[in-house]
Amino acid sequence: MKVPVTKKNVTNKTMKSQFIEFLVRHNNLNRFGFDAWIFYPGMLFNDLSTWWGDRGVRLRAHEGLDFCFYRDTGGQDRSLREKTMIPMMYEGEIVRIGDDFLGKSIFVSHNIYDACGNRLHTIYGHMNPYSGVTIGKVVGEGELIATIADT
Ligand SMILES: [Zn+2]
């Protein structure tokens, strides 16, 4: 579906998601003091290496960001646990739920567009969606949609 772009629905560059704040709060990551995410080579968008196993080369460039490790304010490295609850990045409609190799991927369509009219979608990988998270459902920013599948 192509929605005409008006000035109203062009993304405001200052519109920042509260995703991290929701993730930290819902999962009580602040109990140790949350300092920063840790991204090893292979965890960032377009990375070509793997960060697991023998740390070889990916078959295709990485198409996401792996939020997995963080540092607490005491300087200790920690990892997100299985069952960590995942909030929505922005309000949006669930448009697809498909299997991935560690769980399910949830595809969300947002009413946010760039200057060229491209619609923003976010995809949450390796999830166990909550039972109420179904195709066509509109979910608000910060609402919990899933837990992390087996890590
Ligand atoms: Zn990844």
Side-chain angles (χ1 to χ4, degrees), residues 42 44-49 57-64:
L44 294 174
F45 191 77
N46 266 342
D47 270 356
L48 291 168
S49 55
V57 175
R58 290 176 181 273
L59 298 176
R60 289 185 311 185
H62 192 214
E63 296 179 307

Side-chain angles (χ1 to χ4, degrees), residues 5 18 29 31 38 44-45 48 65 69 71-72 80 103 107 109 116 123-124 130:
V5 178
Q18 308 248 318
L29 301 183
R31 67 192 179 280
I38 300 169
L44 294 174
F45 191 77
L48 291 168
L65 280 174
F69 304 109
R71 187 159 295 142
D72 69 24
L80 293 184
F107 296 71
S109 179
C116 298
I123 305 170
Y124 307 79
Y130 291 127

Side-chain angles (χ1 to χ4, degrees), residues 136-149:
K137 177 153 182 154
V138 174
V139 186
E141 178 178 340
E143 285 186 45
L144 299 171
I145 54 172
T147 57
I148 293 181

Side-chain angles (χ1 to χ4, degrees), residues 92-108:
E93 180 184 348
I94 312 287
V95 292
R96 188 174 160 226
I97 299 172
D99 291 325
D100 64 37
F101 63 100
L102 289 176
K104 293 193 182 295
S105 289
I106 303 170
F107 296 71
V108 182

Side-chain angles (χ1 to χ4, degrees), residues 17-23 25-26 85-92 124 139-145:
S17 169
Q18 308 248 318
F19 175 80
I20 298 300
E21 290 83 349
F22 282 116
L23 185 67
R25 188 174 345 131
H26 284 306
M85 298 175 282
I86 303 302
M88 283 275 278
M89 185 81 67
Y90 298 104
E91 181 187 86
Y124 307 79
V139 186
E141 178 178 340
E143 285 186 45
L144 299 171
I145 54 172

Side-chain angles (χ1 to χ4, degrees), residues 109-126:
S109 179
H110 303 281
N111 215 0
I112 298 171
Y113 300 83
D114 68 12
C116 298
N118 298 304
R119 188 172 200 152
L120 177 69
H121 289 76
T122 52
I123 305 170
Y124 307 79
H126 318 325

